[in-house]
Amino acid sequence: MNLNIDSKSPLPAYQQVSQSLRLEIVSGRLREGDQLPSIRDLARLLRLNPNTVAKAYYTLEQEGFIAGRSGSGSWVTYKPGRSDALRRAMLEDEFRGFLQKAMALGFGAADIKKIVARFVNHE
Amino acid sequence: MNDAIISVANLEFAFKRKKVFQGLNVIFAQGESVVIAGRNGAGKSTLLRCLAGVYLPDRGEVRLAAGLERRRIGYISDSLSLFEDWPLERAIAFHVRTFGAAAFDDRLLKNLGLSGRERIRQLSAGERVIFHLSLILSQQPELLLIDEILHLIDPYIRELFIDALIESMASRPVTVLMVNHTFNDIERIPERIMIMDGGGFILDESAETLPQKVKKIVFRGDVPAGLPCLFVRESGHIRECFVYPFGKGLSRRFSGQFQDIGLAEIIKAFIGGAYAQKRVD
């Protein structure tokens, strides 16, 4: 699992946790039936308030990514590929951030297209 | 908001001639984790001691929630009043008896290689903090008051402390009030950020929304007028300006130049701002 909390990000910590878990699940690194760490273990690992982790898990449950039974932990319930729209939305989110940086550096659409094409072809 | 676990009404408190509080009001909710920051002498530790019952108010009162017993309030500070010549085992037995604690968890002490036969005065500053925490946790506290201790202890012991704190928060409902200078390791634990100055609160915000309201912007030369600057840090002709409250309107006027900053830096800016204000007064 690859979970990082950026303490400089203005995004609330629970959203950072749910976002990185969503990414793990959608990308298939966490699969249907995999058990998630307990709230206590994840809170200690990431040095977060247990309430923050609980809130992230609750969000993911509402979205249908995981299911939990109190006292016995949480499992991934999402089958990858079920929703391409979601993966696309996540990619677009990442891309929007990249575009904003590129534009702040003064690049236009043509430059950006060229760079993307070069990277896709060679790397 | 949950019901209050402890609250302060019209609190007045003074050390001889120095008035610390002149009518302070504040409510802490059941189960929340709060950090109280502020410059030296702001009144943070005095408030914690009033809450702990170490100091009695001159006027006003400290109200505990119905059903909250004194022995369920744990107060941890650097001035630990322990019996210096006692071996740890004896202090543990005494503590368990006095507070009717169910059991003493010695995992933290074992982790530091302490057997229990050492005397309290032989402990290092960090070992003392961990020992005190172990005693307090055996009381199964519903309210933990933690007074500026993290900066006294080395990074490994600080991790042990934070792990134990998170563990206890995950095990049962506990309200945590921390007074702190060092934020790097704990900045994601508090849910409510309060800054105290001159015996009152100058900030009381949720940790979730505060980072959206404070931004940094750097200028070469003068800071433009009309920017709500909390604090300005100068280095040569560079001015680092901490803006609060930040809003969309500002973002349009100074497109894309605002930087996100973490809670540790946000709190530093508020404290810096309090000093700057004091210089003006």
Side-chain angles (χ1 to χ4, degrees), chain A residues 10 40 44 47 49 51 55, chain B residues 33 163 167 189 191 208:
Chain A
R40 170 189 312 217
R44 282 181 49 168
R47 303 223 177 287
N49 190 313
N51 291 341
K55 204 166 165 187
Chain B
S33 342
D163 275 0
E167 176 100 35
I189 293 178
E191 298 158 301
E208 240 173 48

Side-chain angles (χ1 to χ4, degrees), chain A residues 1 4 18 25 42 51 53 81 89 91 107 111:
Chain A
M1 265 199 321
N4 281 314
S18 58
I25 295 170
L42 196 56
N51 291 341
V53 178
L91 177 65
F107 290 100
D111 301 314

Side-chain angles (χ1 to χ4, degrees), chain B residues 134-200:
Chain B
S134 298
L135 290 178
I136 296 290
L137 290 180
S138 75
Q139 290 167 234
Q140 303 204 312
E142 290 169 39
L143 174 62
L144 261 179
L145 306 166
I146 304 172
D147 191 5
E148 278 179 314
I149 44 168
L150 289 179
H151 64 283
L152 300 172
I153 59 187
D154 68 47
Y156 175 73
I157 293 190
R158 204 179 306 155
E159 284 203 352
L160 274 187
F161 184 92
I162 294 164
D163 275 0
L165 182 64
I166 293 174
E167 176 100 35
S168 73
M169 290 164 73
S171 313
R172 57 182 177 273
V174 56
T175 307
V176 181
L177 308 185
M178 286 186 276
V179 161
N180 233 322
H181 285 317
T182 314
F183 283 93
N184 297 328
D185 301 317
I186 56 131
E187 67 179 324
R188 287 302 187 180
I189 293 178
E191 298 158 301
R192 181 179 176 191
I193 313 285
M194 303 180 83
I195 305 214
M196 187 165 238
D197 202 57

Side-chain angles (χ1 to χ4, degrees), chain A residues 6-22:
Chain A
D6 175 5
S7 62
K8 286 236 164 90
S9 166
L11 203 62
Y14 85 92
Q15 285 181 20
Q16 293 193 46
V17 174
S18 58
Q19 180 64 8
S20 42
L21 279 170
R22 225 178 268 126

Side-chain angles (χ1 to χ4, degrees), chain B residues 19-279:
Chain B
K19 287 182 179 165
V20 183
F21 302 122
Q22 296 172 274
L24 182 72
N25 292 289
V26 60
I27 299 173
F28 297 104
Q30 212 109 38
E32 68 176 347
S33 342
V34 185
V35 71
I36 302 172
R39 60 194 173 92
N40 291 333
K44 314 175 298 282
S45 294
T46 308
L47 173 62
L48 229 52
R49 285 182 191 145
C50 288
L51 295 175
V54 179
Y55 294 157
L56 295 176
D58 299 332
R59 280 202 187 142
E61 61 173 334
V62 174
R63 291 190 195 124
L64 308 189
L68 175 65
E69 299 167 66
R70 276 273 165 212
R71 66 193 175 110
R72 297 279 178 241
I73 302 178
Y75 170 67
I76 306 178
S77 79
D78 60 348
S79 55
L80 312 179
S81 51
L82 297 167
F83 299 95
E84 293 291 317
D85 272 331
W86 283 13
L88 306 190
E89 302 169 318
R90 188 169 166 202
I92 292 166
F94 176 79
H95 195 86
V96 167
R97 210 165 50 239
T98 310
F99 290 94
F104 181 83
D105 185 348
D106 65 355
R107 277 180 303 169
L108 284 170
L109 302 186
K110 288 236 171 76
N111 214 317
L112 294 178
L114 295 171
S115 68
R117 284 184 294 279
E118 301 81 1
R119 289 178 194 279
I120 291 171
R121 64 178 149 74
Q122 296 168 325
L123 301 182
S124 70
E127 288 168 341
R128 267 168 185 269
V129 166
I130 291 294
F131 178 57
H132 198 193
L133 177 70
S134 298
L135 290 178
I136 296 290
L137 290 180
S138 75
Q139 290 167 234
Q140 303 204 312
E142 290 169 39
L143 174 62
L144 261 179
L145 306 166
I146 304 172
D147 191 5
E148 278 179 314
I149 44 168
L150 289 179
H151 64 283
L152 300 172
I153 59 187
D154 68 47
Y156 175 73
I157 293 190
R158 204 179 306 155
E159 284 203 352
L160 274 187
F161 184 92
I162 294 164
D163 275 0
L165 182 64
I166 293 174
E167 176 100 35
S168 73
M169 290 164 73
S171 313
R172 57 182 177 273
V174 56
T175 307
V176 181
L177 308 185
M178 286 186 276
V179 161
N180 233 322
H181 285 317
T182 314
F183 283 93
N184 297 328
D185 301 317
I186 56 131
E187 67 179 324
R188 287 302 187 180
I189 293 178
E191 298 158 301
R192 181 179 176 191
I193 313 285
M194 303 180 83
I195 305 214
M196 187 165 238
D197 202 57
F201 288 105
I202 56 168
L203 182 84
D204 182 359
E205 291 259 13
S206 120
E208 240 173 48
T209 53
L210 185 60
Q212 287 134 45
K213 295 185 187 171
V214 188
K215 302 285 168 192
K216 182 165 85 176
I217 185 164
V218 181
F219 297 102
R220 301 174 62 185
D222 289 336
V223 175
L227 203 60
C229 265
L230 181 64
F231 177 58
V232 178
R233 212 172 136 248
E234 294 181 21
S235 179
H237 62 281
I238 305 280
R239 306 268 186 288
E240 269 189 333
C241 183
F242 294 86
V243 176
Y244 172 82
F246 173 77
K248 287 242 158 60
L250 290 175
S251 174
R252 273 194 295 274
R253 261 180 61 205
F254 304 87
S255 61
Q257 299 170 42
F258 288 96
Q259 299 169 32
D260 297 330
I261 52 176
L263 276 181
E265 210 176 345
I266 290 176
I267 287 165
K268 244 190 292 175
F270 273 99
I271 297 175
Y275 273 110
Q277 187 64 43
K278 193 188 167 208
R279 286 193 291 270

Side-chain angles (χ1 to χ4, degrees), chain A residues 63-74:
Chain A
E63 294 168 346
F65 283 98
I66 66 173
R69 261 166 290 159
S70 63
S72 56
S74 302

